[in-house]
Each structure stands twice: as structure tokens, then as C-alpha cells.
Amino acid sequence: MRKGQLLLLLLLFAAGSTTASAKTDPQDEAALRSLMKRWKNVPASWGKSSPCDMPWDGILCDENGRVTSLNLFGMGMGGTLSDDIGSLTELTILDLSSNRDLGGPLPAAIGKLFKLESFFSGPVPSELGNLSQLTFFALNSNKLTGSIPPSLGKLSNVTWLDLADNQLTGPLPTSRDNRTGLDQLLNAQHFHFNRNMLEGSIPDSLFSSSMHLKHILFDLNRFTGQIPASIGAIPSLTVLRLNNNGFMGPVPALNNLTNLQVLMLSNNKLSGPIPNLTGMGSLENVDISNNSFDPSNVPSWFSDLKSIMTLTMQSVGLSGQLPQKLFSFPQLQHLVLSDNELNGTLDMGNNMSKHLDLVDIQNNKITSVTVYNSFKNLKLEGNPLCNDSLLSDTSPCMGLQTEAPPQPYQFDVQCAYPFIETIVFRAPSFANVFEYLPELQKNLSKQLNSCTPNWLGLVPYFDEDAYLNVNIKACPVKQKRFNYSQVLNCFNLTRQTYKPPEMYGPYYVNAHPYAFHDKTSRAVLIGIVTGSVLLVVGLTLVVFYAVNQKKRAQRLVSINNPFASWGSLGEDIGAAPQLKSAKFFSLEELKLCTNDFREINAIGAGGYGTVYRGKLPDGQLVAIKRSKEGSMQGGLEFKTEIELLSRVHHNNLVGLVGFCFEKGEKMLVYEFIPNGTLSEALYGMKGIQLDWSRRLKIALDSAKGLAYLHDHANPPIIHRDVKSTNILLNEKMTAKVSDFGLSLLVTDSEEGQLCTNVKGTLGYLDPEYYMTQQLTAKSDVYSFGVVLLELIVGKPPIHNNKYIVREVKMALDEDDGTHYGLKDVMDPVLQKIGGLFGFPRFLKLALQCVEEVATARPSMNSIVREIEAIMLDNGLTPGSMSTSSSFSIESRTMKVGPKHPYSSSSMSTSTFDMDSRAFEYSGVFPSSHGSLKP
Ligand SMILES: *[C@@H]1O[C@H](CO)[C@@H](O)[C@H](O)[C@H]1NC(C)=O
Ligand SMILES: *[C@@H]1O[C@H](CO)[C@@H](O)[C@H](O)[C@H]1NC(C)=O
Ligand SMILES: *[C@@H]1O[C@H](CO)[C@@H](O)[C@H](O)[C@H]1NC(C)=O
Ligand SMILES: *[C@@H]1O[C@H](CO)[C@@H](O)[C@H](O)[C@H]1NC(C)=O
Ligand SMILES: *[C@@H]1O[C@H](CO)[C@@H](O)[C@H](O)[C@H]1NC(C)=O
Ligand SMILES: *[C@@H]1O[C@H](CO)[C@@H](O)[C@H](O)[C@H]1NC(C)=O
């Protein structure tokens, strides 16, 4: 089980805390030493003296030798927290955030720290409600489950309540329904509950005009019912994010929210008239897209939005003509009004905002355009005016972006050991970050100046939830690395004392693991110690496993020997399959867990049968591949596949849970991968928009899976059908390679080559393999190269009669420093999101993979290393993206589409593709293969 990332921060009055070297209180020292034993990678100074004498890094004591502060932000520690923490009764600050491997449950004793004024961390114990002095309460980005305890309503002095990015369920407690509740938090300014699984309707009694809320972040949950009218009575509100929930009914009056800057209501089921935003002159970022509002004319309040930076109203039933004034608001950057009924003439006037960066009016009824001479990034595809032959091939009608996206490197710095942390801004007002990056740079430099003068890099990008991530990269000056105390004192932006420029909105911070020292001496020692512990456990497990397996085998043989029937199809397929860890299921069991193979549980179909979802008795979700009678996969392939799959175990390969071979039925039971295939994600079928860093991560994941097959499986395995529909994405967007049905064991050949019938999928087929029929691992590399190109282009390898490899090679222009000539070929999503760091290297790698001559292609292993290097060079940590909250993407983070990862609608789109899985060569080959010749 993965340990949650523990973010812990407790703050109390730091008053009287000094670093005076008094003798440490024995009880506190014992507690610290006990905690230290549970933690690995504590700072080097720990344990060397008594904690207050020569203070251990991260510890502050008072004059009585009592520990008052424990601040271990970003130390790269692991382990768990014990009740010992409760002994540190004078503790006023506890910050354990950004220690990725520190996790486990939050001990109830933490609720005894009655002096604590504020706090971060692990299940929310209701005892926390006793910390009545708490003002700052942040448990965001953990793996907390269960519901929000009503006792939190007793934290009457709390101003900051952050439970975002967890897995919390249940309703929001109020004092009306429960004895205590969040409505009692009259001093609270921040309700950050976004990215959870909270549900139910929000009672009207939760809000009142006596509250002082500034930020209500409820987005990406499962709330239903109406938006409570009382929300419109909190005059202090500046950010209201309710998007991506199931809210319905009319939007209540919000006109009294005259300080509101960010209003996000998109992707709900809201109905009635579009919200009336008259008089809300502070609005900077509005998104009310994808609801079911009544059709309406362009609202008069468009003229009131004098501070607007980003206005997004996609598919809201808007008709009529856009007022010129809208384009003249001086801060306006992005205007997205696609999929409406806007008609008449588009006249943007000649007083357009200087910041205007995108006007998207696709799929409307615009018949003419007056002015757009100086403005290029206009999207008008799908309007009647594009049928006009004069306009039809202009860039606004062809969906091309002609304006160069800003250069993401402008604030980058290079050094051997940068300290990197990510600030995640949850409700920025703007869409074009490069406009406002200099301001952030200036502001942050001031904050961090003492530690890293002039050596601060910023790499920004928007993630799927429109949260702005900015990677801060700081270089040490006149030293090789930062030490523990520098990190603790310079980069602890966790306490919200740092104030970014206002349009950046609320934020949180996440440090990346830092190499405080070379990974030698200490690491080796730890390795040996834990190694031997593991060895003991390992042996026990092996014995246990063997006994268990033997029992199971006996049971299988006696009850129902599936292997006895292997030959029953008239084929000689030899001995029983050699299985490791895969389980045999009876037909009866699988019938039960798929509701007798009901249609509704079918999640995909293909040439040889149907894929069903199922739930095993232990709750595990599985995908069951059931082949139909006489399907092309015979007994031999079936046996091959289960043998193969049961033998390979890797995080980036879809795991086989078991199989069924009974009464003529052949079924494979796989782990269920909830987010569908890479091709669905790439072509927008799942409502997922993959940003560049995520694409790199997917490339890396799948490369690792394939490298494992090539180099570590014994005997090595060539996949033979690498393609984007065979790369599945799990709930953390980790990519897993699936479908080894066509794989062949590379066993007896001397040169590592096999001669076979050509199999594979059109568009991915290695031309050399096709011509020579010599199958090597480099054929997979070719197909993988095509997938890499797909990641860039965002289209299937063969589209509009074009072959992706040829298309890219032809467009290639090395003199174009930013896009290498691929601007027109590239996925528009990438251009929109930007941040294409490492693009030239990635492109070069992809092209090497699709070299015509197999020997010129790199091995899967070197591909893995190269992608890792690209990511590291750009401040991404290849191994940890999915566990870090700043990168973690739950299946709920889709912009549109199903919210519940296991809802039937999401099931039905998440398929194991079997269509087009086998392409037997029979003289047909895409004409484009010729173009591969130099
Ligand atoms: C809340 O804060 C006020 C003012 O700082 C203080 O007087 C009061 O004692 C605090 N309440 C609790 C329960 O700590
Ligand atoms: C709070 O009240 C609601 C509504 O009555 C109920 O569903 C929920 O279970 C209660 N929560 C707790 C923790 O008692
Ligand atoms: C808005 O404010 C006005 C004047 O303060 C008040 O009369 C009205 O009831 C308020 N509307 C809402 C929806 O709270
Ligand atoms: C919107 O609200 C304003 C002020 O509350 C009001 O004058 C106007 O009539 C409303 N517009 C619509 C279309 O309801
Ligand atoms: C635009 O649409 C509105 C109603 O939807 C209609 O009244 C108006 O005449 C249309 N204008 C033009 C120029 O077609
Ligand atoms: C970081 O921590 C130190 C002491 O632990 C404190 O003095 C400093 O203000 C903190 N920095 C920020 C930005 O909060």
C-alpha cells in the first residue's frame, strides 16, 4: 500500500521561543528520540547532542528546555508519526509537510496538543476539534479518508481550513444537522475542500452574512442539489469555485458579492437563466461553461466586467451579437465563447485589450468579421463565415494558432543541485501566465533573496484542473548544495506568510525530494539493515506462499482441473500452463462478479470477444476478457498469454489477476485500469487534457514497461503490438502497457531474432520487420516511436490519409527554434497549455525510434534514461510525479465526463481495445511506408 504524503503543519504562538541552549526537558528529549527512531532521513544533526543544546535542525526550544517548534518541511523523511508527538505539550509549530514517505494514520494523541494554534496532516481524528486555539489548520494533499468530523466546528478561532486533495467523503457537517458544524467557524476566511469525494447537498445554513469567508473552494467533488442562496450573502468572498460537481437548479443571486474575483461554476448540471453578474465589477476570472442554462441573449452585464481577465462560457446557449466593449476591458486575456449561438458580425473594435491572447468563438453562427488585423489568435472554425471561400483557408477558420506561445525558459536557471518546490495556485485570475510571471519572479526573489540571490528559476504550467503550477528552482550560491537549515529557513512557504501578487489567488506548496548529501555511506548502511529485515520477511512469505500454492493446486486438481481440458479443442498444446501468482477462477465465480455477463457490464468488444468489468468478492475491480467461441485466439495463444502475463510483474504493465478455462470458455482476468487508454485521453474522448509534463510521464511509464519486457523478463518478451490503445492509464495517470496476446517468447534464436508471420497494427508497424519478417525488440521501439509522435501530434498515426511519421519528418524544420516546424502538426492542446520544456530532445528521441534501420534505433532502456534525463533537467522528478500532490491526478480531475472513476459511464469508455489488434500482412500496407526512405 502506498503511503500517503503527509503534510503536517501545526502553528502555535512562537512567542518566547528562542534557541537558548537550555538543558532539554527529559520528557521532550525522550519523545523526540522515539520519533527519530521511526523516521528515516532525519537531518544529519539529529541525535548528535541533546535536542536543545546544539539545536537539532528544525527544532526550537524555550528557556525551560521545552521543544516549541518542530519544522521539518521538505527534509525527504519517511516513516510514521506515533503518540509520542502528544508528549511535546509545549509544541507550537509542527510542520512535516513535503516529506513524501512520511505517512500512516494521524495519531489521536495529536488532539492533546492543546496549545497548538495550527496544524497540518494523516484520517481526520475528531479529537482535532479540541484544539480550540488553532487558527491555521491545513491537512491538504494527504490521503485522508472518511468524512469531515463535525467537531471541527469547535475550532472557533480557525481562519484557514484546508482539507483539499484528499479522499474525503460524506456531507459537510453543520450545527443544524449535527451538533457542531462548519457554519460555526465565523472567523474562517478559507474553506479549501477541493479535490475530494465530498457529496450531498450543501445546506443553506452552512453560510451566513456574519461569516468572513474569502475563499470557497469546493471544486472537483461530488456535491449535488442547489447552490445555497446564503452563499450570495457573504460580502467578503473573493474566490468561489464550485466547478466539476453535480450542482443543479438555478444559480442564486450573487450580485452582492461585489468583491468576488473568481467565479467558477463550470461542469455542473445547473439550469434556469444564466447567472446575472450585474454590478460584479471585481470579477477577473469567470467560467460557467457546460451547464444546462436556458438559452439567452448576450447579457447586458458583459459591459460591467471591467476587471475581467478570463471569461469562459462554452456551451451555455448564448445568442445575439457580442458587444465591442467586451474586447476593450484592459486586462482581458482569454475569451472563450465556443459552442453557442452567437450571430451577426464579430467586431472586436480597434481598442482591444493589449493583453488579449485568445478569442475562441468556434461553433457559433457568426456570419462576418470586421477587425482582427493585429490579432492572430482568433478561432472561428464552425461558423457560417468559414464556408465563405475567401475566409475558409485563413487561420481563424482552420483552427491554427499563428502567434508564438511565450518561451517557457525565460526564468530558468541551471545548477547541479537545485532545490525545487512547486507552488500550486488554485484559482488564478489569468489564463496567460507569462504576462504575470515577472511579477511573481520579483516578489519571490524578494522573499528568497537571502538564500538564492538572482538564482531563481520559475517554470509554470496549468494542470488539468486549471490550477496553475509553478516550479520554483533555486540554485545555491558559492556552495554545491543547500544544507538542511537553509532549506528549512528559506523555502518554507507552507505557512501562508508569503503573499504572492493578488491575481495568483490561494496557493499551497510542495517541495521535491532534495539530495542533501551523496547517496553513499548512510544510504548503504540503511540498505543493508532494511535488506536483512526484508530477507527474513521474504523467506517467511515464500514458505507461506509455497504451502498455500500447494494447497490451492491440490484443490484445483481435485475440484476442477482446468488444465486437463487444454487439449480438448483438438490442438496439441502440450503441458499445463506454467503460472506464477495468477489465480484460477471458476466460470461460476466470474458469472457472479459480472452479474452473469450482463450487457451493462461490458466495457469493450473486439475481434475475439467482449471485455466485462467485474468486482471480485474482496472488492477488487477487474476487467474480464471473455473470448467468444471460435474466436481467433485459440487455446495455444490463450495459454501463451496467461503464461506470459502471470510471469511479468511491473508497475507499468497491466497485471494478470487470473484466468478461467472451463466449459469451452476462455477468460483472462486483469486488474482494472480506470482511466481508459492513452488514445482516448489523447483524442479527448475522456475529457482529459494531457499537459506536456503528463505526456512525458506517460512516455516514461510505458517505456519502462516495455524495457522491462525486453530486458528483465526471462525469457525476454517482444510485445509486437505497441500502440496507444494498448497503453492504459490508471487513476493516478500512471501508464500501463497491456495486451500481450501477440507477444512471442524470444527463446531459442541465436541472434535474438525470430522469423514469423508479420503481425501488428497498421500505422505502428516497423517497416524493416514488415520487409524482412525479422522480429527484434527494435520493432517495438519503432512502434513506441510512433506513440511518442502521437503524444506530440495528438492524432492517430494514420489520419486524413496522412502517416504520422512522414507528416512529422516532412514538417521538420530545425531552424525553427521553438517548434522545429511542427507548429501546424502539433496537438493544439499542447500549444494552448504551453510549457513544452525539453521538446527538442523529446522530438529527437521520437525520430530516432522511427529510424528506418532498426540498428539506428535506441534500446528501450536508453529511451527510459533519456526521458528521465529530459524530465530531471526540467525540474520534474520522474519517479514521483504521481505521488506528489502537485502532479497527482485523480480520475475526478477530468474537466468533463464522469466524475466517479468506477461509475458505469466511465467503465463503458475504458476499454481493453481488441479491435484492430491483429493486422496480418496480406499485401496491404499503408502507401506511406515508401516515404520512410530518405
Ligand atoms: C480566540 O481568539 C481570541 C482573540 O485572540 C482569544 O481571546 C480567545 O481566547 C481565543 N479562543 C480560544 C478558544 O482560544
Ligand atoms: C451530520 O448530519 C447529516 C445529515 O443529518 C448526516 O448525514 C451525517 O451523517 C452527520 N454526520 C455525522 C458525523 O454525524
Ligand atoms: C444584497 O444586499 C442588499 C442590501 O444590503 C439586501 O437587501 C439583499 O437582501 C441582499 N441580497 C442577498 C441575496 O443577500
Ligand atoms: C440582473 O440584476 C440586476 C441588479 O440586481 C437587475 O437590475 C437586472 O434586471 C437583472 N437582470 C436580469 C436579466 O435579470
Ligand atoms: C441573431 O439572433 C437573434 C436571436 O437569436 C435574432 O433576433 C437576430 O435577428 C439575429 N441577428 C442576425 C444578424 O442574424
Ligand atoms: C521559515 O521558517 C523560519 C523559522 O523556522 C521563519 O523565521 C521564516 O519566517 C519562515 N519563512 C516563511 C516564508 O514563513
Side-chain angles (χ1 to χ4, degrees), residues 229-230 232-234 252-256:
S230 52
I234 312 169
L254 302 173
N255 308 76
N256 282 3

Side-chain angles (χ1 to χ4, degrees), residues 71 447 488-489 492-493 495 497:
N71 166 23
Q447 177 84 27
L488 288 174
N489 294 316
N492 55 339
L493 304 178
R495 316 258 178 82
T497 46

